[in-house]
Amino acid sequence: MTSQVSSPVEQSGVAPAADGTATPPGAGDGKQIRRLDRVIIRFAGDSGDGMQLTGDRFTSETASFGNDLATLPNFPAEIRAPAGTLPGVSSFQLHFADHDILTPGDAPDVLVAMNPAALKANLPDLPRGAEIIVNTDEFTKRALSKVGYPASPLEDGSLEGYHVHQVPLGTLTVEALKDFDLSRKDADRSKNMFALGLLSWMYHRPTEGTERFLRAKFGKKPEIAAANLAAFRAGWNFGETTEDFAVSYEVAPAASAFPAGTYRNISGNLALAYGLIAAGRQADLPLYLGSYPITPASDILHELSRHKNFGVRTFQAEDEIAGVGAALGAAFGGSLAVTTTSGPGVALKAETIGLAVSLELPLLVVDIQRGGPSTGLPTKTEQADLLQAMFGRNGEAPVPVIAPHTPADCFDAALDAARIALTYRTPVILLSDGYLANGSEPWLIPDVDKLPDLTVRFANGPNHTLDDGSEVFWPYKRDPETLARPWAIPGTPGLEHRIGGIEKQDGTGNISYDPANHDHMVRTRQAKIDGITVPDAVVDDPNDDARLLVVGWGSTYGPITAAVRRLRGAGDRVAQLHLRHLNPFPANLGEILRRYDKIVVPEMNLGQLTSLLRAKYLVDARSFTQVRGLPFKAEQLATALKESLDD
C-alpha cells in the first residue's frame, strides 16, 4: 500500500454493503464515534487461524489511511503448532496513531482472542479497562481444560474490569456463508475475515485494499474469494448493526508527523531486499544471492527471486556452506554478492567469510538474528550475534559490522553495507533481527536520483612497473587511501592472478610463508577496516546537560527512544546515542562517552556491546539486558533508566 502525505487531512473509511457499495461509517442508529490519538490492537489465535494474515491486512489498510504504525508479529516455530495449546498461540500486534510512534506498544488496548489459549496467553499483557473480543464458539469444555481453565473465564468473573464482547465468530461466519457451496469446516476458516471486517468497522479502516487483495489471492478460486469477501463484509455489517458495539473509533492520519512524499508500509526484510536491489543498480553490477532457507531470513530469498528483471540471480543452495561459497564465487566473478542467514548459519559460514577476508573480495553477509544458541528460538528476536560477527572466525579476520535500527532503515543499511564492501573490498556483516525483519512501519519511498553512486572501477590493465621497466598486474597492490586491492574480473587478458586461502605475498599475491610478510598482511587488513569512513556518532542531548547517556544499537532504537521521551517529559535529563556502525566505531565515539557520568546500554543479549565499549574506551558502561525472545517495552526501559538516574 502507498499513500501520499502533504498536509494533515481528515479521512475516513467506507463500509461495504452486501452488494459491495459503500455507506458512511458509524451510520447505524445510536452509534457513537470516539476520537483517539492512538490504539494498540492484538489479534491472537491458533497458528492456523490466520492471525498473521489478518494483522497484515489491517496494517496495510492503516498504512494507506496515513497513520503512523509499528507492528509485532509473534508466532510459533512449528508450521502447524498444536491446536488449542499455549505454545501454539500466534499473535499480531499493531500500534497506530495520529502522531509519530516508535514501538508496537507495551500493552494492547484491544485483544481479539480466537480461543481460550489465545486469551490465557495474552491476558497478562492487558491493562484493566482493555477491550476483549472473544470467539465464544471455541470456549468448549475440552478447549478450556486443554489450557488449564477449571471453568470458563467468561462466566466465573475473572474478566471483571475488562470490556468483554462475546461474539460467536464461527457461527456468524457460517451463517453469512450459508448460500455458498462450502462445508461448515471450510466456511469456518473465514472467521478471521469476519473478525477483520468487525475491527475495520470499529476503527474506520479503508476496505478497498483488502477486497482487492482477496480477489487477487484467490483469483483461481472465485468461490473462495467470494466467500472471504462475504465474511469480511458480514463482519463490518455486524459491527454496524449489533447493539454490543455501541462505539466506533477514529484515529486521524499522522500526516503532520511525516515529511511530504509517497509512503508505503514495509517490513524490515522487504526493505532489506529492496536495498540490495538498489545497491546492485547503483553499482551497475548483477546482484547474486547464494542462500539456504532459514527463519527469519528466508523472506529475503523469496523476495529477491521475484526480481530477475533487475539483474538479480538467486541460488537456493543445499546448505549454508554452499550458499556462502557460491556467493563468494560470484564476487570473484564481478557480482555484488550476498548471502542471507541467521545465527546458526553464520557459524557454518565462518570459514568462507574468513576466506573472503583473505581474498579481499566484497561480500554482504546478512544475519537476521534470532534466539540462540543452536536452534534456539527460530521465530523470536535477539541481538546475541554481535560478538560472533566481530570475532567468530579463526585467525585475525576483521570484518565491518553495521546494524539497521528500524524496519525502514534496513533499506539504507543495505546500501551502506554495499558501499563499504565495494569500496574497501571486504566482506561486511549486516545485523538485523527477527523484530525488524517481521515488523513493519511507514517508509518514505526514496528519490532514485538521490541514492548514492556505488559505481565500481574494475582493474583493466597492469598496475606495477618492475625494475626492468616491464609492466605487470599485482593483485594485492593497494589503493593508498582505502588500502583496497584491485578487483580483477577473471578472464580479463593480462590480469591472471592466484586465488586461494593461503597467505599471499604483499603486492604480487604469490603464496608466502614468510613471517614478516604475514605480520604485515594481518596488520594491513586490520588497518583497512579501521580506516573505513563512517559518519560521526550524533548524540541526542537537547540541552547538553545530561549526566546519563543511553547507548543502543539495532532494533532497541524504538523502545529506547520511547523510554527517553517519557523521562524527558517528566523533567529528567537523559542523552541518547544509537550506533549503526559497530566495527569500526565512529571516530568521535570515545570523546562522546567520556562526557557522561553514567552510561547504560540496553541490549537483547547479556551485554555484548557493553563489553566492547568497556574494552575499547575504558568507560564504566553498564548493561541492562534481557533475552526473552521479545523486544523491550518502553515502560520497562524507562523504569530501569530512572533507577539509574536516581542511584
Side-chain angles (χ1 to χ4, degrees), residues 134 140 154 172 204 211 229 248 284 443 454 515-516 524 564 566 607:
V134 179
T140 63
L154 305 179
L172 291 171
H204 296 184
E211 297 205 2
L229 284 167
S248 63
D284 195 23
W443 174 54
L454 303 178
T524 300
V564 168
R566 294 188 187 195

Side-chain angles (χ1 to χ4, degrees), residues 255-398:
S256 59
F258 300 114
T262 302
Y263 287 77
R264 61 157 293 162
N265 181 49
I266 201 164
S267 68
N269 273 353
L270 183 58
L272 218 161
Y274 286 175
L276 294 172
I277 295 170
R281 303 301 290 178
Q282 293 303 107
D284 195 23
L285 296 176
L287 178 68
Y288 183 95
L289 174 68
S291 182
Y292 180 74
I294 183 172
T295 301
S298 300
D299 287 342
I300 302 172
L301 170 61
H302 300 159
E303 183 61 34
L304 288 180
S305 69
R306 300 185 177 106
H307 296 287
K308 296 179 178 64
N309 56 312
F310 286 119
V312 179
R313 178 172 295 178
T314 55
F315 168 56
Q316 181 175 319
E318 66 269 27
D319 56 39
E320 295 282 3
I321 298 172
V324 69
L328 185 56
F332 178 57
S335 293
L336 175 58
V338 186
T339 188
T340 53
T341 188
S342 191
V346 175
L348 292 168
K349 296 178 190 291
E351 183 179 4
T352 305
I353 297 172
L355 176 60
V357 171
S358 176
L359 299 180
E360 300 190 48
L361 286 171
L363 174 68
L364 302 186
V365 181
V366 177
D367 177 7
I368 312 297
Q369 300 166 94
R370 71 188 203 191
S374 188
T375 308
L377 305 173
T379 59
K380 310 302 180 185
T381 193
E382 204 166 88
Q383 286 183 298
D385 294 349
L386 175 56
L387 294 184
Q388 179 179 219
M390 289 286 293
F391 308 117
R393 294 163 296 283
N394 64 297
E396 295 289 344

Side-chain angles (χ1 to χ4, degrees), residues 582-604:
L582 302 169
N583 190 37
F585 286 127
N588 66 333
L589 180 57
E591 183 273 327
I592 290 174
L593 296 176
R594 286 186 282 271
R595 296 207 311 250
Y596 293 89
D597 297 336
K598 295 183 179 180
I599 301 169
V600 176
V601 186
E603 296 183 79
M604 292 187 293

Side-chain angles (χ1 to χ4, degrees), residues 96-293:
F96 61 101
D98 66 1
H99 57 277
D100 175 35
I101 58 174
L102 298 157
T103 74
D106 288 358
D109 302 304
V110 182
L111 171 67
V112 179
M114 302 298 281
N115 58 22
L119 177 63
K120 188 168 188 177
N122 292 282
L123 191 61
D125 293 339
L126 266 63
R128 292 287 174 173
E131 288 195 78
I132 305 175
I133 300 173
V134 179
N135 177 24
T136 56
D137 287 336
E138 295 296 324
F139 278 68
T140 63
K141 185 175 181 179
R142 182 172 181 271
L144 291 167
S145 64
K146 188 180 288 189
V147 294
Y149 274 129
S152 174
L154 305 179
E155 300 170 357
D156 64 6
S158 60
L159 297 182
E160 289 183 7
Y162 301 100
H163 298 293
V164 181
H165 305 276
Q166 300 187 38
V167 183
L169 292 173
T171 299
L172 291 171
T173 303
V174 171
E175 175 63 21
L177 303 183
K178 64 183 180 181
D179 294 332
F180 289 82
D181 186 20
L182 297 172
S183 67
R184 182 179 180 87
K185 182 179 180 180
D186 288 340
D188 183 72
R189 289 175 179 167
S190 297
K191 61 181 179 289
N192 64 322
M193 288 297 104
F194 188 101
L196 177 60
L198 174 57
L199 269 292
S200 298
W201 170 83
M202 283 183 66
Y203 292 96
H204 296 184
R205 298 296 89 186
T207 61
E208 296 88 345
T210 293
E211 297 205 2
R212 284 195 302 270
F213 169 83
L214 291 173
R215 292 190 186 99
K217 182 177 177 63
F218 301 108
K220 296 181 180 179
K221 299 179 180 179
E223 182 80 359
I224 300 298
N228 278 279
L229 284 167
F232 176 64
R233 293 167 178 165
W236 183 296
N237 293 329
F238 176 77
E240 182 78 4
T241 57
T242 183
E243 295 181 359
D244 191 36
F245 292 89
V247 179
S248 63
Y249 305 92
E250 283 188 351
V251 181
S256 59
F258 300 114
T262 302
Y263 287 77
R264 61 157 293 162
N265 181 49
I266 201 164
S267 68
N269 273 353
L270 183 58
L272 218 161
Y274 286 175
L276 294 172
I277 295 170
R281 303 301 290 178
Q282 293 303 107
D284 195 23
L285 296 176
L287 178 68
Y288 183 95
L289 174 68
S291 182
Y292 180 74

Side-chain angles (χ1 to χ4, degrees), residues 77-98:
E78 294 83 4
I79 294 175
R80 187 66 171 93
T85 66
L86 294 177
V89 172
S90 173
S91 68
F92 188 105
Q93 183 164 306
L94 166 67
H95 182 191
F96 61 101
D98 66 1

Side-chain angles (χ1 to χ4, degrees), residues 6 24 59 62 67 71 103 142 168 199 231 276 287 333 363 376 423 431 442 451 462 489 533 549 568 603 628:
S6 54
T59 299
T62 296
N67 295 119
T71 67
T103 74
R142 182 172 181 271
L199 269 292
L276 294 172
L287 178 68
L363 174 68
T423 302
L431 292 177
L451 294 179
I489 301 298
T533 300
L549 174 66
R568 288 176 180 169
E603 296 183 79
R628 301 177 59 244

